[in-house]
Amino acid sequence: MARIADTFARLRTEGRKAFVSYIMAGDPDRERSLEVLRGLPDAGVDIIELGLPFTDPMADGPTIQAAGQRALAGGMTLESTLGMVRAFREENDETPIVLMGYYNPIYSRGVERFLAEAKEAGVDGLIVVDLPPEEDDELCIPALKTGIDFIRLATPTTDDARLPRVLENTSGFVYYVSITGITGSAVPEPSDVAPEVARIKAATDLPVIVGFGIRDPESARGIAEIADGAVVGSAIVSKLAEGGPIEELLAYVRSLADGVHSG
């Protein structure tokens, strides 16, 4: 679990917050997706969330749903997603990669096999949005035993009675979903988010990263000022879908990173 913990330790030493970016593996195709993946660290990304394409992404908004469909149409699978991680690790052994997706593809492959392959490929953490804490024995506990962080989501509806259960086996960091609803929702207001971040931080020593709805350097900076970092997903995926030069996409990512790092 060293990469995620080491990244946050380094950022604390530098007095900076964490910028976490999301892309869908294989969107719009494997070659372009891998080129973007490899370019993210130089664009200022501290931790990469790599989406695992799935046919029924119930928590995702239309932007990420469409990205998953493009990836699946191009033949992207769990195996080829892990292959992307391996290819990335040939050039970068420092930037953490967190796979984000749903349990069905993992279950279909077999938990033990998947975890062994993910660890070997260089995966550092998992976010599996459809496995609640009551199902920790399914994947969370085995992942932790394998040395892969299991990152949990907290939301505005995670009350004080529920929060301890959510945090019980969480590791790496806590992902606070700032807005109730699907990905790509409205821009969060830092003044609304700050009390929730403080409430979570009072219950855990883990970093709290805030995502959903961040689209520009200003909103990224505002969130970074009240949390340990910010996640941008749908806005990056949307830019990628426009089909412009990858250099322009990475310049946009750099602007977001600069916003977070100045927060």
Side-chain angles (χ1 to χ4, degrees), residues 42-97:
D42 286 341
V45 174
D46 300 300
I47 298 173
I48 298 169
E49 288 180 7
L50 185 63
L52 179 59
F54 181 51
T55 53
D56 188 24
M58 57 190 173
D60 294 323
T63 298
I64 291 180
Q65 283 190 25
Q69 290 302 311
R70 289 190 295 268
L72 290 170
M76 206 65 184
T77 63
L78 173 54
E79 184 170 354
S80 52
T81 299
L82 292 177
M84 279 187 61
V85 178
R86 292 187 187 96
F88 177 84
R89 287 284 173 236
E90 292 173 1
E91 299 180 359
N92 185 310
D93 196 43
E94 297 179 356
T95 305
I97 291 184

Side-chain angles (χ1 to χ4, degrees), residues 13 45 50 94 123 139 149 177 188 219 260:
T13 300
V45 174
L50 185 63
E94 297 179 356
V123 171
L139 180 62
D149 282 315
V177 177
S219 56
V260 172

Side-chain angles (χ1 to χ4, degrees), residues 20-38 40 45 47-78 80-85 97-102 105 127 129 183 231-241 246 249 253:
V20 183
S21 71
Y22 171 99
I23 63 169
M24 177 67 70
D27 175 44
D29 54 63
R30 185 185 185 279
E31 182 180 353
R32 188 171 171 86
S33 182
L34 180 57
E35 187 176 352
V36 173
L37 181 67
R38 285 172 164 163
L40 292 175
V45 174
I47 298 173
I48 298 169
E49 288 180 7
L50 185 63
L52 179 59
F54 181 51
T55 53
D56 188 24
M58 57 190 173
D60 294 323
T63 298
I64 291 180
Q65 283 190 25
Q69 290 302 311
R70 289 190 295 268
L72 290 170
M76 206 65 184
T77 63
L78 173 54
S80 52
T81 299
L82 292 177
M84 279 187 61
V85 178
I97 291 184
V98 176
L99 286 188
M100 185 171 186
Y102 298 83
I127 300 175
V129 299
T183 56
V231 183
V232 180
S234 293
I236 294 173
V237 171
S238 180
K239 287 280 187 184
L240 181 57
I246 288 179
L249 171 72
V253 172

Side-chain angles (χ1 to χ4, degrees), residues 1-8 47 96-100 106 114-115 118-119 122-128 139-152 169-174 206-207:
M1 303 181 194
R3 288 192 192 97
I4 293 176
D6 288 351
T7 295
F8 281 109
I47 298 173
I97 291 184
V98 176
L99 286 188
M100 185 171 186
I106 296 170
F114 164 75
L115 290 174
K119 182 69 175 177
V123 171
D124 302 286
L126 299 174
I127 300 175
V128 182
L139 180 62
C140 174
I141 301 303
L144 296 176
K145 290 179 179 178
T146 305
I148 296 176
D149 282 315
F150 200 88
I151 296 147
R152 190 79 70 188
N169 293 313
T170 299
S171 64
F173 59 90
V174 180
L206 292 171

